[in-house]
């Protein structure tokens, strides 16, 4: 027993260390505009329209993470990157602890295996990111609603939970969906309508209107759900088949095996929620953490049932321990493999590796006229580093649509951005429309990292448009008379005489 505790402690420190290193190294592009938005709210109030772009400045901008952005703005000067990483790391660990707390029928080895298999796929999405707070609230809500005793005792407080949740992140919808599934399934099993719970579901939904954006919050959340183009334009939104993260295999196998084997012993609503979010994880990588959270209660209960079944016989227990040691080694291998990839990805998004650090310094020191067109992935960085410079596009805008946009704006900046890069829109015409005289771009043509298999899948799933190759923008600029003003290993600045 003491040895098992030591093993869990060693595994815990190893996993937490990996997450901490990733959080310190990884600079999320969205973190930067969140910081700037928090400053605007704290000093000037919530802006009604987009404060950062020149392509859609009249768009009714909804930031469903506004409250966390304000906290971020006040916390960052005090605790810095390290403090923020520790806070979000505590939330991720808290997600696991909320799921396993008080479940004493299983041992430390089982805790170790579940911790490794849960944290492996989640590591790919860790950073200073608002959605992690949503993960924690989702885990807490599942723990509450799956325990019928606690649910009856505390359910009247759930509208308050959803009010807070809606002001922190759009992930509140995952909680409402889970609640709907649970209430419907329990009604079917009980063969009667659970009126109180359905009324509570309605009140929780209405509570999400208690934000500065009111009903516009739902417009923003729905636009992301309904926008099928996100599934091929933004890697984190792509279906699982395009990433094929095998680190989820261990948790799928363990939790799915338990769900199937003990389907008659587990609560039907628990299995239904698990299956729903598993499907969502396969439809979009972004949902993998939500599914992993829903897998915790299924796996914990599966362990408990299994251990009760094998009993306390000496021979049976010895066989179980031998077999389970093999499972533990497999879980360690899976996490180590995923940790390597997660840290590698983090290094690729380190500030001095991915972002145009030198170009930004050059642009700050150079007098220019006109506006700038830049890489989509650098938009948040430019908002942070060059706050007086409006951007063409950034990570907030993939699903924005404004059919009534004035002539000097666009109805969909993401469509225009990709149309320019594919050559469907003449860049000179678009640059002239917005008065663009500077282009901040990659120093070499972006290497096509999409395999032939992925291109085939893109064509089959999303059509020819999704797999259409892009132009070499740098080459096109030079051939059109633009000149290189600055260049380093990360970026190149093209200029045009005004």
């Amino acid at each position: 027993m003491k040895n098992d505790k030591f093993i869990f402690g060693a595994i815990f420190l190893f996993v937490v260390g990996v997450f901490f290193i990733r959080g310190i190294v990884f600079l999320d592009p969205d973190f930067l505009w969140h910081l700037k938005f928090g400053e605007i709210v704290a000093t000037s109030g919530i802006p009604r329209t987009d404060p950062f772009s020149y392509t859609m400045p009249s768009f009714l901008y909804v930031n469903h993470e506004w409250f966390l952005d304000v906290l971020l703005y006040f916390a960052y000067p005090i605790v810095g990157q390290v403090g923020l990483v520790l806070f979000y790391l505590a939330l991720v660990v808290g997600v696991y602890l909320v799921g396993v707390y008080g479940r004493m029928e299983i041992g430390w080895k089982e805790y170790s295996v579940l911790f490794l298999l849960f944290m492996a796929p989640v590591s790919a999405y860790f950073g200073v990111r608002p959605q992690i707070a949503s993960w924690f609230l989702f885990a807490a809500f599942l723990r509450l609603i799956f325990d019928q005793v606690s649910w009856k005792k505390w359910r009247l407080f759930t509208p308050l939970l959803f009010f807070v949740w809606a002001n922190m992140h759009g992930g509140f919808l995952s909680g409402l969906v889970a609640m709907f599934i649970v209430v419907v399934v329990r009604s079917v099993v009980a063969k009667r309508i659970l009126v109180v719970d359905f009324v509570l579901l309605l009140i929780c939904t209405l509570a999400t209107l208690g934000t500065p954006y009111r009903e516009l919050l739902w417009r923003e959340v729905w636009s992301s759900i309904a926008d099928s183009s996100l599934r091929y334009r933004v890697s984190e939104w792509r279906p699982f088949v395009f990433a094929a993260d095998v680190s989820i295999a261990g948790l799928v196998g363990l939790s799915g095996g338990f769900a199937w084997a003990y389907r008659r012993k587990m609560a039907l609503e628990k299995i239904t929620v698990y299956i729903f979010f598993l499907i969502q994880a396969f439809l979009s990588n972004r949902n993998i953490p939500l599914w992993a959270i829903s897998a915790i209660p299924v796996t914990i209960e599966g362990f408990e049932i299994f251990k009760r079944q094998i009993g306390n016989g000496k021979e049976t227990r010895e066989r179980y321990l031998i077999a389970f040691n093999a499972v533990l080694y497999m879980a360690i291998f899976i996490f180590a493999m995923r940790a390597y990839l997660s840290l590698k990805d983090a290094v690729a998004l380190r500030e001095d590796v991915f972002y145009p650090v030198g170009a930004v310094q050059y642009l700050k020191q150079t007098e220019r006229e006109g506006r700038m067109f830049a890489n989509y992935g650098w938009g948040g960085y430019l908002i942070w580093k060059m706050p007086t410079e409006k951007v063409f596009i950034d990570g907030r805008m993939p699903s924005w649509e404004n059919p009534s946009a004035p002539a000097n704006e666009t109805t969909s900046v993401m469509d225009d951005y990709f149309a320019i890069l594919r050559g469907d829109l003449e860049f000179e015409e678009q640059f002239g429309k917005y008065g663009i005289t500077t282009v901040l771009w990659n120093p070499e043509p972006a290497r096509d990292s999409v395999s032939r298999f992925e291109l085939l899948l893109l064509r089959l799933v999303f059509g020819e448009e999704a797999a259409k190759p892009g132009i070499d923008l740098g080459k096109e600029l030079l051939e059109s008379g633009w000149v290189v003003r600055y260049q380093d290993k990360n970026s190149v600045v093209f200029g045009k005489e005004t």
Side-chain angles (χ1 to χ4, degrees), residues 130-405:
Q131 55 260 51
I132 295 177
S134 190
W135 298 352
F136 181 81
L137 293 175
F138 183 62
F141 179 71
L142 289 187
R143 181 64 189 262
L144 173 65
I145 200 168
F146 285 154
D147 184 341
Q148 296 207 39
V149 174
S150 297
W151 175 246
K152 290 179 180 179
K153 183 178 180 181
W154 299 104
R155 62 184 172 181
L156 294 182
F157 291 94
T158 51
L160 177 61
L161 170 67
F162 279 98
F163 169 76
V164 173
W165 199 344
N167 282 281
M168 296 175 66
H169 192 265
F172 69 86
L173 182 59
S174 61
L176 288 176
V177 170
M179 186 175 180
F180 175 78
I181 293 172
V182 170
V183 173
V184 168
V185 171
R186 283 179 178 169
S187 295
V188 171
V189 171
K191 296 181 180 180
R192 62 183 177 86
I193 297 176
L194 302 180
V195 178
V196 173
D197 285 347
F198 273 111
V199 171
L200 195 59
L201 173 61
L202 176 60
I203 296 173
C204 288
T205 303
L206 293 175
T208 64
L209 299 177
T211 75
Y213 303 106
R214 299 185 182 276
E215 72 281 356
L216 290 178
L217 175 65
W218 278 88
R219 182 211 68 183
E220 177 68 15
V221 172
W222 177 251
S223 68
S224 297
I225 295 172
D227 186 0
S228 60
S229 66
L230 281 178
R231 273 59 180 176
Y232 63 86
R233 287 176 171 174
V234 181
S235 59
E236 196 168 282
W237 284 86
R238 282 186 171 185
F240 171 78
V241 68
F242 290 94
D245 184 356
V246 297
S247 70
I248 78 167
L251 190 55
V252 168
L254 191 61
S255 59
F258 281 146
W260 174 256
Y262 304 130
R263 62 191 181 278
R264 301 185 188 283
K265 297 182 179 182
M266 290 186 186
L268 181 59
E269 63 264 23
K270 188 180 295 186
I271 295 177
T272 306
V273 169
Y274 168 83
I275 293 174
F276 175 82
F277 283 100
L278 177 61
I279 293 171
Q280 296 308 306
F282 278 98
L283 292 176
S284 175
N285 291 320
R286 189 178 179 87
N287 295 321
I288 287 177
L290 295 177
W291 161 76
I293 293 168
S294 74
I296 292 177
V298 171
T299 309
I300 286 290
E301 187 170 352
F303 273 132
E304 290 174 341
I305 296 172
F306 182 71
K307 292 194 75 173
R308 287 196 295 268
Q309 282 185 340
I310 64 175
N312 295 315
K314 182 178 179 181
E315 184 177 348
T316 305
R317 297 291 297 177
E318 287 178 351
R319 289 179 180 177
Y320 170 75
L321 291 175
I322 292 172
F324 202 79
N325 282 335
V327 174
L328 178 59
Y329 295 143
M330 178 200 69
I332 292 172
F333 172 77
I334 289 174
F335 180 82
M337 176 187 64
R338 179 65 258 184
Y340 168 76
L341 295 175
S342 295
L343 293 177
K344 182 180 178 182
D345 292 342
V347 170
L349 285 173
R350 200 173 65 192
E351 183 175 8
D352 62 332
V353 174
F354 178 73
Y355 295 95
V357 180
V360 165
Q361 292 300 318
Y362 165 79
L363 291 167
K364 283 182 174 180
Q365 298 167 5
T366 305
E367 292 186 7
R368 296 175 291 113
E369 294 182 5
R371 290 166 169 161
M372 181 166 62
F373 178 86
N375 186 304
Y376 165 80
W378 295 339
Y381 187 79
L382 296 175
I383 289 171
W384 184 41
K385 289 292 188 178
M386 303 179 68
T388 60
E389 185 100 27
K390 300 285 187 178
V391 298
F392 183 93
I393 190 172
D394 67 85
R396 303 166 301 130
M397 307 172 75
S399 298
W400 288 13
E401 291 187 359
N402 185 11
S404 59

Side-chain angles (χ1 to χ4, degrees), residues 3-36:
N3 188 48
D4 290 347
K5 285 185 178 180
F6 174 79
I7 292 173
F8 178 81
I11 288 173
F12 181 86
L13 292 176
F14 171 60
V15 172
V16 167
V18 169
F19 271 67
F20 179 75
I21 293 171
R22 175 180 164 84
I24 293 297
V25 172
F26 171 53
L27 183 59
D28 186 352
D30 289 343
F31 160 71
L32 306 172
W33 68 255
H34 281 300
L35 192 62
K36 195 63 186 176

Side-chain angles (χ1 to χ4, degrees), residues 51 69 254 261 324 359 377 395 455 459-460:
D69 289 355
L254 191 61
F324 202 79
L455 286 173
R459 289 191 178 95
L460 290 174

